Amino acid sequence: CTLILCSFITVSLTLAVAYYIYTPLPDAIQQPWKLMMLDAYFRTAIHVGIMKGLISESSPGPVPGVKVSDITFAGIPVRVYEPPAGGEGHLRRGLVYFHGGGWALGTTKKGTYDTINRMVSDELNTVVVSVEYRLYPEVHFPVPYLDCLAAAKHFLSPEVLAKYAIDPERVAVAGDSAGGNLAAAVAQEISVDDSMSVKFSVQALIYPVLQALDFNTPSYVENQYMPILSRSFMIQFWVQYLNADLSLVPQFAVNNHSTLQHSAITPELRSRLDWNVLLPQKYKKNHKPLIVEKGSHGVLKKVPGLLDVRAAPLLAGPEVLAKCPRAYILTCEYDVLRDDGLMYARRLQDAGVTVTIAHYEDGFHGCFSFISWPLEFDVGKRALRGYLSWLQNNL
């Protein structure tokens, strides 16, 4: 009886683990079981609250010759990467990087973020500034944005650029996911700030999150259960960032927070994220917009950040977008944020900005960070190489 009981328990646990790990994935995804196990690990880590420094823990090791300094810019902690000595007398590129992690997770000081910034510094002769902005639950919007803006403005000052021998015509801002959100928002603000004598010449946005009014775009619907970022997790990150009650997550999921009864969401504002107009047909497919007539009352008063362009850069007006630097926008087919990036690319192009769209048909959210064993995916290595190549040719 004891043997039978043990066997039953073993089989039950095996089935339970398999059920927890298994997620149906599209055929285009390479190494599906690795991605499933990675997703299960992330979900578990988030649930038990150990995710703070988990993002991109894997790293192939430091790049020799790059000088790394942990200092502060305008009181904000930053890590500065300076390329190896050589080429004295020639000005270098500059780049400000904001890491991803839902405004709640991640760090620039270890893992893949550190490795990628070392690579950019070494291969492209670039001074990279990676910003350690404050995170949830310590702070909420607009603090992470303000941290990033303050650090970026400090870096762009003529005195600091001169100190690091940086060409003021060759300074970029970049970021992935929530960091892409911060990069887009900071680029917009600096573009229209007449007090700034030096502005960013390019922006590189890696699967950026750009709006929180429509969680039923085709990509949100198609990829709502995809690793590494499900729709429910992305909504949770938004609700936390905007300091709203987590009980609102189900309401946001069905667009009850952006109903037609909200007069503050004008037709003009809605047009700025109208995927039925902004997306190519291949992404719209047979999806229909989910527009709710009546829903949750008072949400916009409780969560004003929903309409703040500093939180949702896709809502910026064309007069702001027209002043933005030329852009590189990376999107992945199997990512809830795919359409955010594609819509922003279209709106920038409509405003006269030159945009390069790098779309990965076999890509998924987070792949840019998975470039080394054991968290290595070929699409991640291709995405990184594409990013480096674009910066090489455009910065």
Side-chain angles (χ1 to χ4, degrees):
C1 291
T2 303
L3 181 61
I4 293 174
L5 179 60
C6 289
S7 298
F8 175 77
I9 292 173
T10 300
V11 171
S12 298
L13 287 173
T14 301
L15 291 174
V17 169
Y19 179 79
Y20 183 72
I21 292 174
Y22 181 74
T23 301
L25 295 176
D27 293 339
I29 297 291
Q30 299 178 7
Q31 301 169 287
W33 276 102
K34 180 189 285 189
L35 184 57
M36 286 182 217
M37 295 194 64
L38 183 62
D39 180 58
Y41 178 50
F42 275 14
R43 281 186 281 122
T44 302
I46 288 175
H47 288 316
V48 299
I50 60 171
M51 196 70 178
K52 196 79 168 183
L54 186 64
I55 297 292
S56 304
E57 284 290 334
S58 174
S59 172
V63 177
V66 174
K67 178 184 176 183
V68 177
S69 306
D70 291 317
I71 58 176
T72 60
F73 278 5
I76 309 302
V78 299
R79 171 164 282 196
V80 180
Y81 303 82
E82 298 178 66
E88 286 78 0
H90 297 284
L91 294 178
R92 305 179 289 190
R93 298 178 174 95
L95 183 143
V96 180
Y97 196 87
F98 306 132
H99 69 80
W103 308 283
L105 314 168
T107 175
T108 63
K109 294 185 177 181
K110 57 184 176 180
T112 306
Y113 289 126
D114 182 62
T115 299
I116 291 174
N117 287 327
R118 290 174 187 265
M119 291 175 65
V120 171
S121 181
D122 180 48
E123 294 187 23
L124 305 184
N125 191 34
T126 302
V127 176
V128 178
V129 175
S130 197
V131 181
E132 283 281 287
Y133 57 91
R134 286 170 287 177
L135 302 171
Y136 171 90
E138 177 190 353
V139 298
H140 307 275
F141 172 79
V143 175
Y145 163 81
L146 294 175
D147 284 356
C148 291
L149 181 63
K153 284 187 171 183
H154 180 88
F155 185 54
L156 288 172
S157 67
E159 298 78 16
V160 174
L161 294 178
K163 173 185 175 182
Y164 289 104
I166 296 170
D167 184 343
E169 300 294 324
R170 304 176 77 186
V171 187
V173 63
D176 66 294
S177 194
N181 167 284
L182 294 165
V186 167
Q188 287 181 6
E189 175 60 28
I190 288 177
S191 294
V192 299
D193 186 346
D194 293 334
S195 71
M196 297 294 295
S197 60
V198 179
K199 300 177 187 290
F200 292 116
S201 56
V202 302
Q203 58 181 321
L205 313 178
I206 312 300
Y207 33 69
V209 51
L210 299 167
Q211 59 85 28
L213 290 180
D214 188 355
F215 292 109
N216 287 273
T217 63
S219 63
Y220 265 114
V221 172
E222 293 170 6
N223 301 306
Q224 59 184 300
Y225 303 116
M226 273 292 297
I228 293 292
L229 183 68
S230 66
R231 176 167 66 176
S232 60
F233 271 146
M234 189 63 251
I235 297 174
Q236 179 178 329
F237 284 137
W238 265 118
V239 169
Q240 291 172 169
Y241 184 46
L242 298 178
N243 199 20
D245 194 308
L246 286 173
S247 66
L248 291 173
V249 170
Q251 297 296 316
F252 281 33
V254 292
N255 287 359
N256 273 351
H257 63 304
S258 56
T259 62
L260 292 176
Q261 71 185 15
H262 293 304
S263 58
I265 309 178
T266 63
E268 166 63 22
L269 199 60
R270 289 184 187 278
S271 71
R272 297 175 185 176
L273 66 150
D274 184 355
W275 58 260
N276 209 29
V277 172
L278 297 171
L279 290 182
Q281 182 58 46
K282 65 175 291 189
Y283 300 110
K284 292 189 290 186
K285 300 175 183 174
N286 295 319
H287 293 280
K288 303 295 182 184
L290 178 59
I291 301 175
V292 182
E293 289 193 15
K294 295 182 179 180
S296 303
H297 292 282
V299 173
L300 294 182
K301 290 183 179 179
K302 295 178 183 176
V303 196
L306 287 167
L307 301 184
D308 194 321
V309 296
R310 299 175 302 169
L314 184 59
L315 300 181
E319 72 285 352
V320 173
L321 299 184
K323 295 184 178 182
C324 287
R326 65 187 186 278
Y328 174 85
I329 299 179
L330 185 153
T331 58
C332 293
E333 182 66 21
Y334 303 109
D335 180 5
V336 292
L337 301 179
R338 179 194 71 198
D339 296 345
D340 278 25
L342 293 174
M343 286 191 287
Y344 195 53
R346 168 67 184 276
R347 292 206 58 225
L348 285 170
Q349 289 171 330
D350 288 349
V353 177
T354 300
V355 180
T356 298
I357 302 172
H359 183 71
Y360 288 84
E361 293 288 350
D362 57 341
F364 55 89
H365 193 85
C367 66
F368 183 77
S369 294
F370 301 132
I371 58 171
S372 58
W373 190 90
L375 307 180
E376 179 181 10
F377 290 85
D378 179 68
V379 66
K381 293 190 289 185
R382 283 186 279 117
L384 173 58
R385 188 48 52 188
Y387 166 74
L388 292 170
S389 178
W390 187 86
L391 288 174
Q392 174 74 59
N393 296 325
N394 291 273
L395 178 58

